[in-house]
Amino acid sequence: MIQFDKVLKAYGALQVLKDLDFSVDNGEVVSIIGPSGSGKTTVLRVLMTLEGIQGGTMYVNGEPLNKMNVDGQLVDASKAHIRRIRSKIGMVFQSFNLFPHMTALDNCNESPIHTQGKSKAEATEESMRLLEMVGLAEKANHYPSQLSGGQQQRVAIARTLAMHPEILLFDEPTSALDPEMVGEVLEVIRDLAKSGDYTMLLVTHQMGFAREVSDRVCFFDGGKMVEQGKPDDLFGNPQHDRLKQFLSKVLEAG
Ligand SMILES: Nc1ncnc2c1ncn2[C@@H]1O[C@H](COP(=O)(O)OP(=O)(O)OP(=O)(O)O)[C@@H](O)[C@H]1O
Ligand SMILES: [Mg+2]
């Protein structure tokens, strides 16, 4: 479903992803863990095409994302090609990124109406269903400033789902939240993971949650995937020293 083939991402002289080979199967739930600066967010941002890459190819559903096929040749992708492929992907950010001047409902309606051309009535019906699903139907007419962090993040998830993505990317979706709000957001993500409806890639510092919901966990360090495995294997029997050190540090920190 998602494939990185020798992907190179650099900021100036700093190589952040180094010939990264990495893939996620259809319907698979994969967590990415690793130290700060290891390139976890970058993996999501380049896949979302928020950042360009300097080498390699990314594929979504077998189709190249940053390249396209023209007369049997792979050439740099056009904006329209990138937009088409990217429409299969939705991303939830650490900092919610809701439009502050719009209600929860209008945040959810915005893209379906303006990029997918849905009628307001049609978009509203779907958005209300999604707000209901994340437990916020009664807050539909509230502005982000009138919602708690956990509620804002649940609206952000509903807004992402309103675009009907096949792939969901989460970048530390609970790390900006007060502890008492973490659970309500994890509950929504857990339900999405269990539904089997989405291919999911989740960057998280919450090892317990990664272990619980993932089919596979990948440990990144220094722009490379150093180790991957089934959650119980990776956490229960880590092989690489760097992973062992990382786990002992995060588990110590609680
Ligand atoms: N826009 C940018 N310009 C320059 N360097 C950047 C930029 N964005 C990220 N970097 C660098 O790329 C490296 C990887 O960053 P990235 O955000 O992917 O790390 P991360 O694993 O998500 O870390 P964290 O756990 O702290 O979120 C870091 O060294 C970071 O400083
Ligand atoms: Mg990050």
Side-chain angles (χ1 to χ4, degrees):
M1 188 62 164
I2 304 170
Q3 194 191 343
F4 282 63
D5 181 17
K6 304 227 166 352
V7 169
L8 179 72
K9 170 69 193 171
Y11 292 106
L14 178 70
Q15 288 199 2
V16 177
L17 301 180
K18 298 170 184 162
D19 289 335
L20 178 66
D21 290 326
F22 171 64
S23 62
V24 181
D25 289 340
N26 196 6
E28 201 181 14
V29 177
V30 173
S31 292
I32 298 181
I33 61 170
S36 183
S38 57
K40 306 179 301 293
T41 293
T42 305
V43 168
L44 302 188
R45 290 182 60 86
V46 298
L47 186 59
M48 200 61 196
T49 66
L50 298 170
E51 303 275 353
I53 57 176
Q54 281 69 46
T57 315
M58 294 175 288
Y59 298 87
V60 173
N61 231 343
E63 280 193 279
L65 168 62
N66 57 311
K67 300 271 166 79
M68 62 184 189
N69 242 311
V70 177
D71 302 330
Q73 301 260 24
L74 271 190
V75 300
D76 285 341
S78 66
K79 286 209 171 91
H81 174 85
I82 290 174
R83 214 178 302 126
R84 181 173 66 78
I85 306 284
R86 192 183 51 192
S87 69
K88 301 176 201 291
I89 311 174
M91 181 159 172
V92 175
F93 299 86
Q94 191 172 0
S95 51
F96 329 139
N97 289 13
L98 293 173
F99 300 117
H101 58 290
M102 290 184 192
T103 64
L105 176 61
D106 287 340
N107 264 281
C108 294
N109 276 348
E110 157 71 25
S111 287
I113 291 175
H114 291 105
T115 67
Q116 295 186 325
K118 285 196 180 162
S119 71
K120 183 155 187 194
E122 198 185 354
T124 297
E125 193 185 323
E126 169 82 344
S127 295
M128 286 306 299
R129 186 184 66 78
L130 291 166
L131 286 171
E132 175 96 36
M133 195 186 93
V134 301
L136 289 173
E138 76 283 9
K139 303 283 186 189
N141 294 318
H142 287 227
Y143 288 88
S145 61
Q146 300 169 317
L147 299 172
S148 72
Q151 291 170 338
Q152 289 182 58
Q153 189 62 302
R154 286 186 283 149
V155 172
I157 293 171
R159 181 182 62 171
T160 300
L161 297 177
M163 293 297 284
H164 293 274
E166 297 169 34
I167 298 171
L168 290 177
L169 311 179
F170 293 90
D171 188 10
E172 298 190 35
T174 59
S175 60
L177 299 177
D178 291 337
E180 71 268 25
M181 289 166 193
V182 168
E184 65 195 48
V185 172
L186 292 184
E187 192 180 319
V188 170
I189 298 172
R190 181 184 292 117
D191 287 346
L192 294 171
K194 296 216 166 121
S195 73
D197 294 340
Y198 302 97
T199 301
M200 283 174 48
L201 193 49
L202 170 74
V203 171
T204 184
H205 282 138
Q206 286 181 294
M207 301 301 142
F209 187 66
R211 189 166 186 162
E212 177 197 337
V213 300
S214 310
D215 298 309
R216 181 157 56 99
V217 179
C218 298
F219 172 65
F220 274 65
D221 195 18
K224 290 212 169 258
M225 187 170 60
V226 172
E227 189 166 333
Q228 60 172 325
K230 291 207 166 76
D232 287 346
D233 294 337
L234 192 113
F235 289 114
N237 186 20
Q239 299 297 309
H240 287 77
D241 285 343
R242 280 186 292 176
L243 174 56
K244 290 179 194 166
Q245 282 161 15
F246 174 75
L247 289 177
S248 69
K249 257 190 227 156
V250 292
L251 297 178
E252 211 169 280

